[in-house]
Amino acid sequence: MQLFNAETVHKLLPYEDLIPALHEMHEGEIPSGKSVHMKDPSGADNMFVTLPGWLSGQLIVVKMVGVFPDNRERKPPLGSVLGAVAAFDTKTGAPILVADGEAMTYRKTAAISGLGAAQLASPNPRNLLIVGAGGLAPHVAMAHIAARPSIQHVQIWNRTLSNANTVAAGLNEYGIDAQVSSSLDSAVPEADIISCVTMSDQPLVRGALLKPGSHLDLVGSYLPHMRETDDDAMRRGSVYTCCDRGREDVGELTMPMASGALRMADIKGDAFELAQGRSAGRASPEEITIFKNIGGAHQDVFTTAILKQTAKL
């Protein structure tokens, strides 16, 4: 059984390779599996999540992670999503590999958003806006740049300015032109692609400010009470999701459905349908596209299968 630490995971899964590989995986079947979410019995806002997935003839994958939002406030700070991903042989059940759960989560989540941009964003965007400055923020920036290399400028907005400065400085070290924006409302109309990676329970991106032809990537709002954009965005944009599962569970979709700004039938497709040509995607240069990255065990299975292949196991 092979062990992969975080450094090795990041090295073996560069976004330039991971995104096209995920597109190819989306041309096939969706792995089967049902996740289990356990809440902290103390009443704290923590969860432990088990995400199993079975890809016929290839791999059985189980991701086991704790979601502890307050970890970032610890001294020293810790990641909010920590755990491990394990893969097993489909013929014998024997373990094949175990990989760092945080690194795998960063890679697969950012790459799926990059895949959404590759499928839906305008062909030659120049300006990328990242809303949020947590551990995932630099990864979604790098993934979007890998998906759309025409991006030349990155802006970072975060309520805590010092955190935005830290993310921008880290991207600068990779040779990426990243700067901090002090005004979200000023940055949104300038952005060709906007990627939101927060845990906000209130809309941040105002749909009325989205410029024609822009692409809005919504990642962070994964619980029923969370959302990162408003009803205006859902009215103006063409909405897609990473898959057709879990649409009834995320506030980003259910809240505008409750208000009448969005219907389930308005969702135009998902990453599988786009990869397989069953959904046409962007219809015009002026169209605003919205991609809700819901997450799911299938993403972990796909990413682990790609890791196994890359490592030649």
PDB file of all heavy atoms in Angstrom, residues 95-116:
ATOM      1  N   PRO A  95      -6.282  -2.888   0.047  1.00  0.00           N
ATOM      2  CA  PRO A  95      -5.935  -1.458   0.003  1.00  0.00           C
ATOM      3  C   PRO A  95      -4.803  -1.192  -0.983  1.00  0.00           C
ATOM      4  O   PRO A  95      -3.851  -1.976  -1.086  1.00  0.00           O
ATOM      5  CB  PRO A  95      -5.507  -1.144   1.439  1.00  0.00           C
ATOM      6  CG  PRO A  95      -5.082  -2.457   2.013  1.00  0.00           C
ATOM      7  CD  PRO A  95      -5.946  -3.493   1.349  1.00  0.00           C
ATOM      8  N   ILE A  96      -4.921  -0.083  -1.707  1.00  0.00           N
ATOM      9  CA  ILE A  96      -3.921   0.293  -2.718  1.00  0.00           C
ATOM     10  C   ILE A  96      -3.135   1.514  -2.271  1.00  0.00           C
ATOM     11  O   ILE A  96      -1.912   1.551  -2.389  1.00  0.00           O
ATOM     12  CB  ILE A  96      -4.600   0.570  -4.070  1.00  0.00           C
ATOM     13  CG1 ILE A  96      -5.295  -0.679  -4.596  1.00  0.00           C
ATOM     14  CG2 ILE A  96      -3.588   1.095  -5.091  1.00  0.00           C
ATOM     15  CD1 ILE A  96      -6.132  -0.429  -5.830  1.00  0.00           C
ATOM     16  N   LEU A  97      -3.849   2.518  -1.776  1.00  0.00           N
ATOM     17  CA  LEU A  97      -3.167   3.753  -1.397  1.00  0.00           C
ATOM     18  C   LEU A  97      -3.967   4.497  -0.331  1.00  0.00           C
ATOM     19  O   LEU A  97      -5.166   4.306  -0.193  1.00  0.00           O
ATOM     20  CB  LEU A  97      -2.940   4.650  -2.614  1.00  0.00           C
ATOM     21  CG  LEU A  97      -4.153   5.265  -3.330  1.00  0.00           C
ATOM     22  CD1 LEU A  97      -4.588   6.602  -2.704  1.00  0.00           C
ATOM     23  CD2 LEU A  97      -3.854   5.487  -4.809  1.00  0.00           C
ATOM     24  N   VAL A  98      -3.259   5.350   0.386  1.00  0.00           N
ATOM     25  CA  VAL A  98      -3.862   6.324   1.296  1.00  0.00           C
ATOM     26  C   VAL A  98      -3.199   7.663   1.022  1.00  0.00           C
ATOM     27  O   VAL A  98      -1.964   7.748   0.945  1.00  0.00           O
ATOM     28  CB  VAL A  98      -3.674   5.941   2.778  1.00  0.00           C
ATOM     29  CG1 VAL A  98      -4.212   7.042   3.685  1.00  0.00           C
ATOM     30  CG2 VAL A  98      -4.371   4.623   3.086  1.00  0.00           C
ATOM     31  N   ALA A  99      -4.019   8.717   0.838  1.00  0.00           N
ATOM     32  CA  ALA A  99      -3.486  10.034   0.506  1.00  0.00           C
ATOM     33  C   ALA A  99      -4.009  11.080   1.480  1.00  0.00           C
ATOM     34  O   ALA A  99      -5.093  10.926   2.062  1.00  0.00           O
ATOM     35  CB  ALA A  99      -3.882  10.418  -0.927  1.00  0.00           C
ATOM     36  N   ASP A 100      -3.237  12.146   1.646  1.00  0.00           N
ATOM     37  CA  ASP A 100      -3.616  13.243   2.536  1.00  0.00           C
ATOM     38  C   ASP A 100      -4.962  13.823   2.107  1.00  0.00           C
ATOM     39  O   ASP A 100      -5.153  14.234   0.964  1.00  0.00           O
ATOM     40  CB  ASP A 100      -2.544  14.326   2.492  1.00  0.00           C
ATOM     41  CG  ASP A 100      -2.853  15.479   3.416  1.00  0.00           C
ATOM     42  OD1 ASP A 100      -2.488  15.401   4.589  1.00  0.00           O
ATOM     43  OD2 ASP A 100      -3.488  16.459   2.959  1.00  0.00           O
ATOM     44  N   GLY A 101      -5.911  13.879   3.046  1.00  0.00           N
ATOM     45  CA  GLY A 101      -7.274  14.289   2.716  1.00  0.00           C
ATOM     46  C   GLY A 101      -7.404  15.761   2.384  1.00  0.00           C
ATOM     47  O   GLY A 101      -8.172  16.136   1.494  1.00  0.00           O
ATOM     48  N   GLU A 102      -6.670  16.628   3.077  1.00  0.00           N
ATOM     49  CA  GLU A 102      -6.770  18.053   2.792  1.00  0.00           C
ATOM     50  C   GLU A 102      -6.242  18.371   1.403  1.00  0.00           C
ATOM     51  O   GLU A 102      -6.872  19.097   0.622  1.00  0.00           O
ATOM     52  CB  GLU A 102      -6.003  18.861   3.831  1.00  0.00           C
ATOM     53  CG  GLU A 102      -6.095  20.369   3.611  1.00  0.00           C
ATOM     54  CD  GLU A 102      -5.279  21.159   4.602  1.00  0.00           C
ATOM     55  OE1 GLU A 102      -4.079  20.845   4.783  1.00  0.00           O
ATOM     56  OE2 GLU A 102      -5.833  22.097   5.210  1.00  0.00           O
ATOM     57  N   ALA A 103      -5.088  17.814   1.069  1.00  0.00           N
ATOM     58  CA  ALA A 103      -4.503  18.066  -0.250  1.00  0.00           C
ATOM     59  C   ALA A 103      -5.401  17.536  -1.357  1.00  0.00           C
ATOM     60  O   ALA A 103      -5.602  18.200  -2.392  1.00  0.00           O
ATOM     61  CB  ALA A 103      -3.117  17.424  -0.334  1.00  0.00           C
ATOM     62  N   MET A 104      -5.961  16.344  -1.163  1.00  0.00           N
ATOM     63  CA  MET A 104      -6.853  15.776  -2.172  1.00  0.00           C
ATOM     64  C   MET A 104      -8.120  16.616  -2.317  1.00  0.00           C
ATOM     65  O   MET A 104      -8.631  16.822  -3.428  1.00  0.00           O
ATOM     66  CB  MET A 104      -7.212  14.339  -1.801  1.00  0.00           C
ATOM     67  CG  MET A 104      -6.058  13.360  -1.915  1.00  0.00           C
ATOM     68  SD  MET A 104      -5.537  13.054  -3.627  1.00  0.00           S
ATOM     69  CE  MET A 104      -6.895  12.042  -4.229  1.00  0.00           C
ATOM     70  N   THR A 105      -8.631  17.128  -1.196  1.00  0.00           N
ATOM     71  CA  THR A 105      -9.834  17.969  -1.245  1.00  0.00           C
ATOM     72  C   THR A 105      -9.552  19.267  -1.980  1.00  0.00           C
ATOM     73  O   THR A 105     -10.352  19.710  -2.818  1.00  0.00           O
ATOM     74  CB  THR A 105     -10.341  18.255   0.182  1.00  0.00           C
ATOM     75  OG1 THR A 105     -10.686  17.027   0.814  1.00  0.00           O
ATOM     76  CG2 THR A 105     -11.559  19.157   0.149  1.00  0.00           C
ATOM     77  N   TYR A 106      -8.416  19.903  -1.677  1.00  0.00           N
ATOM     78  CA  TYR A 106      -8.055  21.127  -2.397  1.00  0.00           C
ATOM     79  C   TYR A 106      -7.951  20.865  -3.889  1.00  0.00           C
ATOM     80  O   TYR A 106      -8.488  21.615  -4.714  1.00  0.00           O
ATOM     81  CB  TYR A 106      -6.711  21.662  -1.884  1.00  0.00           C
ATOM     82  CG  TYR A 106      -6.767  22.374  -0.561  1.00  0.00           C
ATOM     83  CD1 TYR A 106      -5.612  22.548   0.202  1.00  0.00           C
ATOM     84  CD2 TYR A 106      -7.956  22.896  -0.060  1.00  0.00           C
ATOM     85  CE1 TYR A 106      -5.636  23.215   1.415  1.00  0.00           C
ATOM     86  CE2 TYR A 106      -7.996  23.558   1.158  1.00  0.00           C
ATOM     87  CZ  TYR A 106      -6.829  23.713   1.894  1.00  0.00           C
ATOM     88  OH  TYR A 106      -6.866  24.365   3.100  1.00  0.00           O
ATOM     89  N   ARG A 107      -7.236  19.805  -4.249  1.00  0.00           N
ATOM     90  CA  ARG A 107      -6.984  19.531  -5.669  1.00  0.00           C
ATOM     91  C   ARG A 107      -8.279  19.220  -6.421  1.00  0.00           C
ATOM     92  O   ARG A 107      -8.542  19.778  -7.487  1.00  0.00           O
ATOM     93  CB  ARG A 107      -5.997  18.368  -5.813  1.00  0.00           C
ATOM     94  CG  ARG A 107      -4.567  18.740  -5.508  1.00  0.00           C
ATOM     95  CD  ARG A 107      -3.914  19.511  -6.636  1.00  0.00           C
ATOM     96  NE  ARG A 107      -2.901  20.434  -6.139  1.00  0.00           N
ATOM     97  CZ  ARG A 107      -2.127  21.198  -6.908  1.00  0.00           C
ATOM     98  NH1 ARG A 107      -2.250  21.144  -8.223  1.00  0.00           N
ATOM     99  NH2 ARG A 107      -1.257  22.024  -6.383  1.00  0.00           N
ATOM    100  N   LYS A 108      -9.095  18.338  -5.875  1.00  0.00           N
ATOM    101  CA  LYS A 108     -10.300  17.949  -6.614  1.00  0.00           C
ATOM    102  C   LYS A 108     -11.309  19.077  -6.669  1.00  0.00           C
ATOM    103  O   LYS A 108     -11.950  19.302  -7.698  1.00  0.00           O
ATOM    104  CB  LYS A 108     -10.916  16.671  -6.026  1.00  0.00           C
ATOM    105  CG  LYS A 108     -11.503  16.783  -4.627  1.00  0.00           C
ATOM    106  CD  LYS A 108     -13.015  16.934  -4.632  1.00  0.00           C
ATOM    107  CE  LYS A 108     -13.582  16.960  -3.224  1.00  0.00           C
ATOM    108  NZ  LYS A 108     -15.059  17.052  -3.196  1.00  0.00           N
ATOM    109  N   THR A 109     -11.466  19.842  -5.580  1.00  0.00           N
ATOM    110  CA  THR A 109     -12.451  20.923  -5.572  1.00  0.00           C
ATOM    111  C   THR A 109     -12.057  22.018  -6.548  1.00  0.00           C
ATOM    112  O   THR A 109     -12.881  22.478  -7.354  1.00  0.00           O
ATOM    113  CB  THR A 109     -12.594  21.516  -4.157  1.00  0.00           C
ATOM    114  OG1 THR A 109     -12.938  20.466  -3.237  1.00  0.00           O
ATOM    115  CG2 THR A 109     -13.679  22.579  -4.120  1.00  0.00           C
ATOM    116  N   ALA A 110     -10.807  22.453  -6.481  1.00  0.00           N
ATOM    117  CA  ALA A 110     -10.349  23.505  -7.384  1.00  0.00           C
ATOM    118  C   ALA A 110     -10.385  23.041  -8.831  1.00  0.00           C
ATOM    119  O   ALA A 110     -10.774  23.800  -9.736  1.00  0.00           O
ATOM    120  CB  ALA A 110      -8.940  23.941  -7.001  1.00  0.00           C
ATOM    121  N   ALA A 111     -10.004  21.796  -9.080  1.00  0.00           N
ATOM    122  CA  ALA A 111      -9.978  21.296 -10.453  1.00  0.00           C
ATOM    123  C   ALA A 111     -11.376  21.175 -11.042  1.00  0.00           C
ATOM    124  O   ALA A 111     -11.572  21.407 -12.241  1.00  0.00           O
ATOM    125  CB  ALA A 111      -9.266  19.947 -10.511  1.00  0.00           C
ATOM    126  N   ILE A 112     -12.367  20.812 -10.224  1.00  0.00           N
ATOM    127  CA  ILE A 112     -13.739  20.755 -10.720  1.00  0.00           C
ATOM    128  C   ILE A 112     -14.224  22.148 -11.101  1.00  0.00           C
ATOM    129  O   ILE A 112     -14.896  22.347 -12.123  1.00  0.00           O
ATOM    130  CB  ILE A 112     -14.673  20.104  -9.691  1.00  0.00           C
ATOM    131  CG1 ILE A 112     -14.343  18.615  -9.542  1.00  0.00           C
ATOM    132  CG2 ILE A 112     -16.139  20.276 -10.085  1.00  0.00           C
ATOM    133  CD1 ILE A 112     -14.618  17.764 -10.776  1.00  0.00           C
ATOM    134  N   SER A 113     -13.883  23.154 -10.294  1.00  0.00           N
ATOM    135  CA  SER A 113     -14.231  24.523 -10.672  1.00  0.00           C
ATOM    136  C   SER A 113     -13.495  24.937 -11.935  1.00  0.00           C
ATOM    137  O   SER A 113     -14.050  25.643 -12.786  1.00  0.00           O
ATOM    138  CB  SER A 113     -13.907  25.477  -9.524  1.00  0.00           C
ATOM    139  OG  SER A 113     -14.883  25.377  -8.503  1.00  0.00           O
ATOM    140  N   GLY A 114     -12.234  24.510 -12.059  1.00  0.00           N
ATOM    141  CA  GLY A 114     -11.502  24.769 -13.297  1.00  0.00           C
ATOM    142  C   GLY A 114     -12.145  24.084 -14.488  1.00  0.00           C
ATOM    143  O   GLY A 114     -12.207  24.652 -15.586  1.00  0.00           O
ATOM    144  N   LEU A 115     -12.660  22.878 -14.271  1.00  0.00           N
ATOM    145  CA  LEU A 115     -13.366  22.173 -15.344  1.00  0.00           C
ATOM    146  C   LEU A 115     -14.615  22.950 -15.745  1.00  0.00           C
ATOM    147  O   LEU A 115     -14.921  23.081 -16.943  1.00  0.00           O
ATOM    148  CB  LEU A 115     -13.742  20.767 -14.875  1.00  0.00           C
ATOM    149  CG  LEU A 115     -14.588  19.926 -15.835  1.00  0.00           C
ATOM    150  CD1 LEU A 115     -13.845  19.676 -17.148  1.00  0.00           C
ATOM    151  CD2 LEU A 115     -14.985  18.604 -15.185  1.00  0.00           C
ATOM    152  N   GLY A 116     -15.357  23.482 -14.756  1.00  0.00           N
ATOM    153  CA  GLY A 116     -16.527  24.288 -15.065  1.00  0.00           C
ATOM    154  C   GLY A 116     -16.177  25.496 -15.905  1.00  0.00           C
ATOM    155  O   GLY A 116     -16.893  25.850 -16.850  1.00  0.00           O
TER     156      GLY A 116
END
